Amino acid sequence: MTNKQKILIVDDDSNIAELISLYLTKECFETMIVGDGEAALAAVDSFAPNIILLDLMLPGIDGYQVCREVRATSTIPIIMLSAKGEVFDKVLGLELGADDYMEKPFDSKELVARVKAVLRRYKPATQAPAESNVEEVRYPDLVINRTNYSVIYHGNKIEMPPKELELLYFLASSPNHVFTREQLLDQIWGYEYVGDTRTVDVHIKRLREKISDHSAWKIATIWGIGYKFETT
């Protein structure tokens, strides 16, 4: 029997949290509800969720700080839930490492669809796969493995949230091919994602902070169009 995937719901509004839990339980997920940031951080270790649904306005430690602390040690997918709908809030959440951002009030079916979409893309390493099934691209001083979700840069493992790694892998898999922001948004976030192209810019910025240009390759901006993984 396959173990259920576990979802940690972090929201101080018990009515909203219970409703979210109800819909996810019907989809055969196991859920846990906590109402503040400290309890959320404790639950990450004790409950070991596959994904976190994180409200931003929490008592004590807010959702932004929870995201920071989780991202310091883990690549668990995080979907932020907030009544804040300003672009600044969304960009900040993505910069801190969130994989998606949903504005309240939201449609329960859309939330379930986004949870499933994020989980489909996140595949943590559990066992060594058959060599023929490994999805990996290699360049000088850079190895991107989408099978076990790892990036090795100059011999060191670089921690990356799933969306950053998927974006890097997608670009590096088609060297010197120019992709528009819209194409990247569709390929990495999928048709169910409701967002703007600044999401792509935020993730490219985060990638560049972790991986500097190399003499043999770089993530190049094609002004007015998009990006490409440029090789020499």
Side-chain angles (χ1 to χ4, degrees), residues 121-133:
R121 294 185 176 95
Y122 180 68
K123 300 175 184 176
T126 53
Q127 61 183 21
E131 193 67 29
S132 60
N133 295 328

Side-chain angles (χ1 to χ4, degrees), residues 86-96 101 196 198 202:
E86 299 298 322
V87 172
F88 169 80
D89 298 304
K90 295 179 181 179
V91 170
L92 177 58
L94 294 169
E95 285 183 335
L96 291 176
Y101 188 110
D196 58 44
R198 286 194 62 181
V202 168

Side-chain angles (χ1 to χ4, degrees), residues 123 129 131-137 144-148 169:
K123 300 175 184 176
E131 193 67 29
S132 60
N133 295 328
V134 172
E135 294 182 277
E136 182 179 273
V137 290
I144 311 160
N145 188 309
R146 199 174 66 171
T147 302
N148 64 15
Y169 180 89

